[in-house]
């Protein structure tokens, strides 16, 4: 019987916690992940600053540059062979970006790295996994930062 392949979304802030979540899902679902989409949602405006087109351009360029580096690193991972890895940068809040990409890309599973506390450090109400699960309507997999690979 042929194994089903999954499209997986992993939001990233380019931290070690996010990268560990990616490595974890690739190792645990080896051979079952066909597409890995790494999402970086950059803020609509930086705290304490007025929204300026030039600031948006700078944030977009930075996010795209970091996603390119991240996907290059991820493509070299042991369990990444045969997985299409794509980076997406969104000028939006974390939850809105995640919902949009989940729908547009027909994501099967969302994986979020956590620091090992009860809730991942995200923002406002979006730090509650049950709230996220309800909002995105897809399975949500939380990976503690020290989960063994």
């Amino acid at each position: 019987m042929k194994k089903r392949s999954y499209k997986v979304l992993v939001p990233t802030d380019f931290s070690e916690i996010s990268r560990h979540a990616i490595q974890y899902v690739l190792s645990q679902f080896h051979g079952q992940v066909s597409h890995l989409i790494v999402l970086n949602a950059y803020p609509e405006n930086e705290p304490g600053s007025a929204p300026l087109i030039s600031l948006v351009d700078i944030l977009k360029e930075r996010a795209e540059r970091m996603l390119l580096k991240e996907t290059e690193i991820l493509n070299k991972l042991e369990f990444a062979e045969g997985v299409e890895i794509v980076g997406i940068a969104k000028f939006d809040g974390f939850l809105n970006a995640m919902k949009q990409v989940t729908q547009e890309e027909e994501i099967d599973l969302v994986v979020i790295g956590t620091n090992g506390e009860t809730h991942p450090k995200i923002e406002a109400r979006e730090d509650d996994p049950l709230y996220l699960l309800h909002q995105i309507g897809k399975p949500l997999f939380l990976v503690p930062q020290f989960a063994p690979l």
Side-chain angles (χ1 to χ4, degrees), residues 14 62-73 87:
F14 306 109
R62 177 184 173 269
E64 289 174 347
R65 183 173 19 91
M66 291 185 73
L67 278 168
L68 182 62
K69 282 184 189 176
E70 189 75 4
T71 56
E72 287 173 358
I73 291 167

Side-chain angles (χ1 to χ4, degrees), residues 5 15 21 33 42 52 57 61-62 85 91 93 103 106 108 125 148:
S5 60
S15 67
V33 176
Y42 51 97
L52 302 171
D57 292 339
E61 187 275 329
R62 177 184 173 269
I85 300 175
F91 175 64
Q103 290 173 355
E106 299 177 355
D108 297 304
R125 281 189 60 175

Side-chain angles (χ1 to χ4, degrees), residues 21 65 71 73 90 110 119 121 140:
R65 183 173 19 91
T71 56
I73 291 167
K90 285 278 187 193
V110 177
H119 302 297
K121 296 284 186 186
L140 178 64

Side-chain angles (χ1 to χ4, degrees), residues 6-60:
Y6 297 94
K7 288 182 91 171
V8 177
L9 173 66
V10 183
T12 186
D13 58 0
F14 306 109
S15 67
E16 287 301 315
I17 293 172
S18 295
R19 184 159 312 140
H20 181 76
I22 294 166
Q23 290 174 316
Y24 185 87
V25 76
L26 287 174
S27 68
Q28 297 303 308
F29 292 90
H30 183 64
Q32 292 181 282
V33 176
S34 61
H35 294 77
L36 178 73
I37 297 174
V38 182
L39 170 68
N40 178 254
Y42 51 97
E44 295 172 5
N45 63 350
E46 287 291 311
S49 67
L52 302 171
I53 295 299
S54 61
L55 179 59
V56 171
D57 292 339
I58 290 168
L59 290 172
K60 180 181 182 192

Side-chain angles (χ1 to χ4, degrees), residues 57-116:
D57 292 339
I58 290 168
L59 290 172
K60 180 181 182 192
E61 187 275 329
R62 177 184 173 269
E64 289 174 347
R65 183 173 19 91
M66 291 185 73
L67 278 168
L68 182 62
K69 282 184 189 176
E70 189 75 4
T71 56
E72 287 173 358
I73 291 167
L74 296 175
N75 275 312
K76 295 176 184 173
L77 294 175
E78 176 184 356
F79 297 111
E81 186 178 331
V83 178
E84 182 180 337
I85 300 175
V86 176
I88 297 177
K90 285 278 187 193
F91 175 64
D92 206 342
F94 171 77
L95 181 59
N96 287 337
M98 214 169 51
K99 284 168 56 174
Q100 183 180 4
V101 172
T102 298
Q103 290 173 355
E104 289 174 356
E105 299 293 332
E106 299 177 355
I107 297 298
D108 297 304
L109 174 68
V110 177
V111 176
I112 298 177
T114 73
N115 60 8

